[in-house]
Amino acid sequence: MKYADIIIDISHERLDKTFEYIVPTELENQVTEGVQVVIPFGQGNRAITGYVVGLHNKPGFDVTKLKPIARVLKDSIAIESQLISLAAFLKKNYGSTMNQALKTVIPIKKKENEKLKKEISLNISLEQAQIELTQILTKKNHAVGKERLLRELLEVDVLDWELATKKLQIPSSNIRDLESKGIVKVESVRTFRNPHINKDANQKHIVLNEEQEAAAETIKADIDTGRRKTYLIHGVTGSGKTEVYMDVMEHVISMGQQVIVLIPEIALTYQTVMRFYTRFGDKVSILNSRMSPGERFDQFERAKSGEISIMVGPRSALFTPFANLGLIIIDEEHEPSYKSEVIPRYHARETAVYRAKLAGATVILGSATPSLEAYSRTQTGEYQLITLHSRAMGQDMASCEIVDLRAELQSGNRSMLSRRLQELMADRLNKHQQIMLFLNRRGLMGFVSCRACGHVLKCPHCDVALHLHAGGKMKCHYCGYTTVAAKTCPSCGSKYIGSFKAGTQRLEEIVKELFPTARVLRMDADTTKGKDGHEEILSAFAAHEADVLIGTQMIVKGHDFANVTLVGIIAADISLNESDYHSGERTFQLLTQAVGRAGRGSEPGIAVIQTYQPDNYSVVASANQDYDSFYSQEYAYRRLLSYPPCSHILGIQISCDKQQDAIKQADIIADIIRQADSNIIIMGPEDAYIGKLKDVYRRVIYVKADEYDRLVNVKDTIEAFLLQQKQYRNTSTWFDFDPISTI
């Protein structure tokens, strides 16, 4: 007799434990770890679903009190034991129920309808088929469709039904007639939906330069000697990190192993996948949120069956069920999109390292602007640093000019485009070169600044920008400090003070007014709503069907356009004023990535950074493409204020549709934290960044500690309390470790 440990399919912390069930003899061959089953639950024995997370031969409880599994759920997807271990890691380190974690690591929740295609083949020998063809030809007014079909089948083994009936124009009645006589047979076979096929792609082998080859050989040598590490490739924009990835990928695939490549968002899919597909052909597939359920299901099946060796996709592709995973690559590892915004709020970087440990795989992180978390780990030896100092084709880095928008205003120019940028745009358009205009909208909403002197109004307690709220109030989203909105600048007395309001649509209008003959494309959330919206815009720009590409962050991340010689950064310092300790880092990353889009072809490039804070270290370092200078200053700031990576933060949000219950529950949890660790730093409780959302009131507590495990213990203590608590059960509590944005 076998017994199964089952997590029931209800995402509720009070049911977050395993329940033991008997595996009936007739189901023993069907019940494996990870399958979804139907079980009787509770006093009424109502039928619910659950996941099998363990199997054993000895019961842990009185057998007479155990119930049998009713059945295995039809069309459920089994999870490999490795992914179950990964789910346990997510639950422990990020806070969630086991059920929520399991649902995270299962890329596809249920089977979709299989896609079938009909194929025609001979049901007789070639000699007999030739005889049949001869007999058909001897008949007067013979069926041309039958003749054409037999001639084709004498040349090929299998003929696709669609090809036969449409391209060859063979009537289906002719096929059915030959089938009824036993001459041909028609079969329905399973075919996988392939979301990204480029039939013209030929496999290419790119010769690496000296720096790239040294990087790839370092990693391959470690793989060959059984050393599995995490590497950070810090390469300047255009240094050819992708070529290094592909060289190592080819080595791993030659060993019979598989590769997962994570990219930060859908906007990168087109160019990134094409580069991999050109090199590796049909071994590559993709996963992304815009694919149909059928397409996603088929990629899942192709990965499990071994039909593909490389999966490219955003964060969720990390859970691809490869049986022999050898390499995980995280491109642009600094991107915030690698942090989940739903429970469990895991980070793909740490989760990838853990999955690699389970699989005995290697991890490569790559970025021109590494996160402080990743780079600091190279300094302690946890990761190995590999640096690419030069662009792959030997091009010079783009030159960069900083334009002081305060001076522009004083001289009477209130346009979004500085005079210098307008001058350069006119020059590039005359030369038929391309231009990218990047509007840094991150942190756009609400921060208050002076256009005359650049002064930003900040919280006196937190060193983050105050944000403008309704009712003429300015508020800090970390500590709750509130004050009356300023009408004049406290630094210079100017009346030009308020929150910044501008967008890509307005920028497009201005460009068309100034340069009426320029062909302009705009790439933002509005223009990329369709399934292929990103690809259509990027491919059009790559084909030089437009002179100017205007967009937000999505246009400056990883794209490579050889004819772009000018990049204009419209409002560089907006992101400096987020109410978030990451603001300096994100500004540096965005600006450096934007500057790096220029001059990647044969012509030299130039970037113009427009800013109200030309002396800010993030702006200056990005203009100089100087990561080391930025890192040293930003790390000192983080160390001074005990922010990650110098320490760790746990964000706890308590929400309820009754405001007083949310307040009281948050106060209780804060007291529990103090009792659990009297030396820990607690900030709050305060209203969350958005204190009320859809009639739900939200309170937040931030906890700081040098050791991550101390915060895990805090989370465990709160979870244990919530399991026992009878009061305020109408509230909801969730956790965010090292949050990347204000919660």
Side-chain angles (χ1 to χ4, degrees):
M1 185 71 71
K2 284 188 176 181
Y3 304 88
D5 294 326
I6 296 172
I7 290 281
I8 65 171
D9 195 2
I10 299 175
S11 291
H12 196 293
E13 63 270 12
R14 293 181 181 85
L15 294 173
D16 190 28
K17 58 182 179 179
T18 59
F19 295 85
E20 191 171 38
Y21 281 80
I22 296 170
V23 180
T25 304
E26 64 272 18
L27 295 181
E28 282 189 0
N29 292 331
Q30 299 178 49
V31 176
T32 58
E33 282 192 353
V35 299
Q36 202 170 12
V37 293
V38 177
I39 51 175
F41 188 78
Q43 293 182 345
N45 284 331
R46 65 188 176 101
I48 65 172
T49 59
Y51 297 103
V52 177
V53 296
L55 290 166
H56 44 90
N57 296 319
K58 292 184 179 180
F61 297 92
D62 184 349
V63 177
T64 61
K65 295 181 179 180
L66 298 181
K67 301 172 185 177
I69 294 171
R71 58 188 172 89
V72 173
L73 192 66
K74 186 180 179 181
D75 293 341
S76 74
I77 301 294
I79 326 164
E80 280 69 10
S81 58
Q82 188 185 108
L83 293 181
I84 293 177
S85 299
L86 198 58
F89 169 82
L90 296 183
K91 175 186 183 298
K92 176 179 183 292
N93 287 278
Y94 295 102
S96 72
T97 66
M98 185 63 177
N99 199 13
Q100 288 168 325
L102 284 169
K103 288 183 175 181
T104 298
V105 305
I106 309 172
I108 308 298
K109 305 302 186 292
K110 64 177 182 178
K111 286 185 179 179
E112 298 293 331
N113 291 331
E114 294 181 349
K115 186 178 180 182
L116 301 175
K117 69 174 181 179
K118 289 192 289 187
E119 292 182 341
I120 312 162
S121 60
L122 287 173
N123 199 36
I124 56 179
S125 68
L126 291 174
E127 292 78 9
Q128 290 175 311
Q130 186 63 59
I131 294 170
E132 290 289 338
L133 176 60
T134 302
Q135 291 177 349
I136 289 172
L137 291 172
T138 59
K139 295 179 181 178
K140 190 175 181 180
N141 298 323
H142 67 271
V144 177
K146 292 181 181 180
E147 174 196 346
R148 193 176 295 134
L149 178 61
L150 286 176
R151 286 188 186 279
E152 196 69 26
L153 290 175
L154 284 167
E155 298 293 329
V156 298
D157 293 332
V158 177
L159 187 61
D160 182 78
W161 178 282
E162 293 288 316
L163 176 66
T165 56
K166 292 182 179 178
K167 189 172 181 179
L168 300 179
Q169 296 183 334
I170 300 170
S172 58
S173 58
N174 286 176
I175 302 172
R176 292 302 183 193
D177 188 38
L178 291 177
E179 182 186 24
S180 66
K181 294 176 180 178
I183 297 171
V184 302
K185 60 182 177 182
V186 179
E187 295 177 305
S188 292
V189 297
R190 171 81 184 274
T191 180
F192 290 116
R193 304 165 182 89
N194 191 338
H196 218 301
I197 297 178
N198 181 358
K199 293 182 178 179
D200 296 327
N202 296 313
Q203 293 191 9
K204 294 182 180 178
H205 184 77
I206 297 173
V207 178
L208 303 184
N209 64 28
E210 189 175 332
E211 235 182 8
Q212 292 170 325
E213 186 173 5
E217 290 302 322
T218 295
I219 299 170
K220 290 190 292 185
D222 283 341
I223 291 173
D224 288 343
T225 54
R227 293 192 293 270
R228 301 294 184 262
K229 298 181 183 178
T230 298
Y231 304 87
L232 172 62
I233 300 179
H234 176 205
V236 298
T237 52
S239 58
K241 294 181 288 293
T242 304
E243 281 69 37
V244 177
Y245 302 157
M246 290 194 291
D247 193 70
V248 180
M249 288 166 63
E250 191 167 61
H251 188 72
V252 168
I253 292 169
S254 71
M255 299 167 66
Q257 297 181 309
Q258 297 97 35
V259 181
I260 294 172
V261 182
L262 300 189
I263 55 177
E265 60 181 83
I266 235 172
L268 283 179
T269 301
Y270 171 67
Q271 282 197 330
T272 304
V273 173
M274 280 299 95
R275 294 173 79 177
F276 290 127
Y277 197 87
T278 301
R279 177 74 171 265
F280 298 105
D282 289 329
K283 293 178 182 177
V284 180
S285 187
I286 64 171
L287 280 177
N288 64 51
S289 60
R290 295 195 177 191
M291 288 164 54
S292 69
E295 285 176 326
R296 290 176 62 83
F297 173 70
D298 280 358
Q299 306 330 300
F300 179 93
E301 288 292 283
R302 294 174 75 201
K304 285 188 72 174
S305 67
E307 181 182 322
I308 58 172
S309 302
I310 301 166
M311 184 65 81
V312 182
R315 191 178 60 235
S316 60
L318 180 58
F319 307 112
T320 301
F322 279 135
N324 192 18
L325 181 64
L327 177 65
I328 302 174
I329 295 169
I330 305 183
D331 192 32
E332 307 292 352
E333 68 79 25
H334 63 277
E335 278 295 321
S337 59
Y338 286 128
K339 180 73 181 289
S340 171
E341 295 180 353
V342 297
I343 301 170
R345 298 169 80 94
Y346 68 93
H347 199 295
R349 182 178 54 239
E350 278 68 45
T351 308
V353 171
Y354 187 78
R355 181 168 188 194
K357 181 180 178 182
L358 293 174
T362 296
V363 178
I364 301 176
L365 313 173
S367 177
T369 55
S371 64
L372 260 73
E373 286 77 6
Y375 197 81
S376 65
R377 287 171 189 164
T378 68
Q379 305 304 293
T380 62
E382 187 176 346
Y383 298 168
Q384 181 171 334
L385 178 65
I386 296 175
T387 305
L388 302 178
H389 298 91
S390 306
R391 282 186 160 176
M393 304 304 292
Q395 311 101 315
D396 290 332
M397 301 298 293
S399 60
C400 190
E401 298 180 15
I402 298 176
V403 173
D404 188 343
L405 289 178
R406 298 170 301 181
E408 291 287 314
L409 180 65
Q410 290 167 8
S411 65
N413 180 19
R414 297 186 183 180
S415 168
M416 293 175 71
L417 301 177
S418 65
R419 288 166 299 182
R420 176 57 173 158
L421 183 53
Q422 292 180 41
E423 174 190 325
L424 289 168
M425 288 178 67
D427 176 71
R428 295 313 191 265
L429 290 170
N430 287 335
K431 293 177 179 176
H432 303 292
Q433 296 172 357
Q434 289 178 294
I435 301 163
M436 294 174 72
L437 297 179
F438 164 51
L439 180 61
N440 181 6
R441 285 185 60 89
R442 181 182 288 282
L444 184 67
M445 298 302 292
F447 84 87
V448 181
S449 67
C450 175
R451 291 190 68 189
C453 72
H455 178 75
V456 175
L457 278 70
K458 294 191 173 184
C459 171
H461 308 294
C462 299
D463 194 32
V464 294
L466 293 171
H467 278 226
L468 192 63
H469 284 251
K473 300 287 186 183
M474 296 186 299
K475 187 172 182 179
C476 172
H477 292 144
Y478 264 79
C479 71
Y481 171 81
T482 304
T483 187
V484 177
K487 295 184 178 178
T488 59
C489 176
S491 179
C492 72
S494 169
K495 63 180 180 180
Y496 295 109
I497 189 165
S499 57
F500 187 92
K501 294 181 178 70
T504 50
Q505 193 168 358
R506 176 57 185 147
L507 180 57
E508 181 182 20
E509 292 169 0
I510 291 170
V511 171
K512 288 180 176 179
E513 289 170 7
L514 291 171
F515 307 102
T517 61
R519 299 168 299 167
V520 182
L521 280 173
R522 176 164 56 92
M523 187 171 177
D524 55 24
D526 292 329
T527 62
T528 56
K529 287 180 179 177
K531 183 177 180 181
D532 299 318
H534 296 85
E535 180 176 328
E536 289 170 1
I537 294 171
L538 292 172
S539 58
F541 191 63
H544 207 161
E545 295 171 14
D547 305 302
V548 183
L549 176 62
I550 295 171
T552 52
Q553 292 100 288
M554 62 180 71
I555 73 167
V556 300
K557 297 174 180 176
H559 305 306
D560 194 341
F561 301 109
N563 200 44
V564 171
T565 59
L566 173 63
V567 171
I569 301 165
I570 304 306
D573 45 10
I574 288 178
S575 53
L576 281 174
N577 304 304
E578 289 183 273
S579 56
D580 191 327
Y581 68 87
H582 292 97
S583 60
E585 179 180 17
R586 289 184 183 152
T587 299
F588 172 79
Q589 290 166 343
L590 281 170
L591 300 190
T592 303
Q593 295 283 344
V595 171
R597 296 312 106 198
R600 297 168 80 98
S602 58
E603 295 294 325
I606 187 170
V608 175
I609 298 178
Q610 299 185 166
T611 175
Y612 288 103
Q613 301 178 59
D615 299 323
N616 182 278
Y617 69 93
S618 295
V619 175
V620 173
S622 61
N624 295 329
Q625 301 276 291
D626 188 352
Y627 181 85
D628 291 340
S629 171
F630 165 76
Y631 175 82
S632 63
Q633 293 181 77
E634 181 71 12
Y635 192 84
Y637 158 70
R638 301 281 185 92
R639 186 172 56 223
L640 181 66
L641 295 176
S642 297
Y643 284 134
C646 304
S647 69
H648 296 282
I649 297 178
L650 170 61
I652 307 164
Q653 189 178 100
I654 300 96
S655 57
C656 185
D657 57 3
K658 295 180 180 178
Q659 185 177 21
Q660 285 305 310
D661 286 2
I663 292 171
K664 289 176 181 176
Q665 179 75 332
D667 290 340
I668 290 170
I669 288 175
D671 287 338
I672 289 170
I673 297 169
R674 293 186 189 99
Q675 293 169 17
D677 192 334
S678 59
N679 295 319
I680 213 160
I681 300 172
I682 301 175
M683 296 174 287
E686 291 290 344
D687 283 341
Y689 179 60
I690 301 175
K692 183 181 179 182
L693 184 65
K694 297 180 180 178
D695 293 322
V696 174
Y697 296 91
R698 304 164 359 143
R699 300 281 281 176
V700 66
I701 303 168
Y702 288 101
V703 187
K704 283 185 182 180
D706 291 340
E707 298 86 23
Y708 193 92
D709 287 345
R710 286 178 70 187
L711 297 181
V712 172
N713 290 336
V714 167
K715 182 264 299 180
D716 291 345
T717 301
I718 295 170
E719 286 181 334
F721 164 76
L722 293 173
L723 283 172
Q724 303 300 323
Q725 187 193 35
K726 292 183 172 57
Q727 195 177 18
Y728 304 124
R729 287 197 169 191
N730 59 332
T731 62
S732 175
T733 302
W734 55 258
F735 306 93
D736 192 355
F737 285 82
D738 289 340
I740 60 168
S741 58
T742 308
I743 63 175

